[in-house]
Amino acid sequence: MDMTFKGAARRLDDIDLPMLGARIGVGEDEIHAFLDVETTGHGFDTLGRPIILFEPHVFFRNLSGAKRAQAVAAGLAYVRWGEKPYPRDSYPRLKAACAIDETAALRSASWGLGQVLGENFKAAGFLTVQAMVEAMMEDEALQLAAAVNFIAVNRLDDKLREHDWAGFAKGYNGAAYRKNAYDTRLADAYRKWSRIKDTPWQAATPAPAVPIPAPQPPIAPKPPVVAPSPASEYVERNWLWRLLYSVVRFLFKRN
């Protein structure tokens, strides 16, 4: 894993919101509201890294034995959420955690536009958490698609369609959502965006599949061929979808 956490950092196109929203039967106003509340509409920080929040209590539960003891001693892991205040920048703690256990560390941060927790990489549509993080570094459309996958897998799409903001907030952020007024902020954001003209697009046109690999059982490598890394496997498997998706985005922008 590249510890700079910098990739192409491509931003969303306007057409991405209605196209991805169509995959779960919602409009761009619902998607805008979701993005406003999760990350104020930005998937990358000023350095071009995915916006993250490293969660020490999640790191704690992803470790055991000597590694857990090391992380606790370093102040990188503790039992309960909220034991200590979070720093403004999570990356120094994430990198220190990666030095102890990379997979556990990546699983313990929330990533990108939808702030999908690394533990949920399978629900987001990835084979490994490393593959998920690679996608988060590349493109906000992939970040949003991962969140849409998570919403669908956890059957929260109906809550979003019905504007059951409390039900959606509880399912996406947990039972403590009221502490941050997550549901009322969603409702307010939706009202704001519903007064703004939507992006023109042909709703009858199927939204192209965003190149996120679906969860699959691992395939044993065949000696003497060395199995590809998750990142290279991700790129090789999806370059045709990337090309198709880029063409569709270009055509919609021209119209």
Side-chain angles (χ1 to χ4, degrees), residues 14 16 29 59 74 82 97 114 120 124 178 181 189 193 202 204 221 234 243 246:
D14 289 342
D16 290 328
D29 295 337
F59 194 41
N120 297 315
R178 288 192 182 91
W193 284 104
Q202 294 176 322
Y234 169 81
L243 177 61
S246 297

Side-chain angles (χ1 to χ4, degrees), residues 5-225:
F5 294 97
K6 293 182 181 180
R10 287 184 290 269
R11 298 299 306 274
L12 277 171
D13 282 345
D14 289 342
I15 199 64
D16 290 328
L17 275 72
M19 291 174 73
L20 289 170
R23 294 176 63 183
I24 53 173
V26 302
E28 67 177 275
D29 295 337
E30 288 86 353
I31 298 295
H32 266 303
F34 167 68
L35 293 180
D36 279 4
V37 173
E38 280 297 332
T39 55
T40 65
H42 296 285
F44 296 102
D45 65 15
T46 56
L47 298 179
R49 305 171 301 184
I51 289 176
I52 67 165
L53 182 65
F54 180 75
E55 302 276 13
H57 70 288
V58 180
F59 194 41
F60 184 91
R61 72 177 178 232
N62 275 280
L63 295 172
S64 61
K67 287 185 177 181
R68 176 184 283 180
Q70 182 182 357
V72 169
L76 297 171
Y78 41 74
V79 177
R80 289 175 296 276
W81 175 83
E83 286 191 19
K84 298 178 183 178
Y86 287 5
R88 181 179 294 272
D89 183 1
S90 282
Y91 274 101
R93 292 205 298 187
L94 175 64
K95 292 176 182 179
C98 284
I100 296 173
D101 188 309
E102 179 183 283
T103 296
L106 299 179
R107 287 168 59 98
S108 303
S110 299
W111 296 87
L113 283 169
Q115 287 293 279
V116 177
L117 187 65
E119 282 186 330
N120 297 315
F121 66 91
K122 289 184 179 179
F126 295 91
L127 295 174
T128 66
V129 67
Q130 283 83 359
M132 173 178 154
V133 173
E134 292 283 352
M136 297 293 116
M137 291 159 52
E138 290 300 308
D139 196 327
E140 285 181 345
L142 295 178
Q143 295 180 4
L144 179 54
V148 167
N149 283 356
F150 178 85
I151 289 169
V153 167
N154 288 279
R155 300 181 180 179
L156 298 174
D157 46 333
D158 59 335
K159 306 294 185 185
L160 208 51
R161 284 192 298 271
E162 296 164 6
H163 300 164
D164 177 2
W165 306 119
F168 180 82
K170 182 178 180 180
Y172 201 88
N173 278 70
Y177 69 91
R178 288 192 182 91
K179 292 182 179 180
N180 294 316
Y182 192 103
D183 53 335
T184 57
R185 290 163 58 204
L186 277 170
D188 291 343
Y190 174 75
R191 281 193 292 270
K192 178 190 76 173
W193 284 104
S194 65
R195 294 191 292 266
I196 299 172
K197 185 177 179 181
D198 287 345
T199 302
W201 79 296
Q202 294 176 322
T205 303
V210 176
I212 290 182
Q216 302 173 14
I219 300 174
K222 297 179 181 180
V225 178

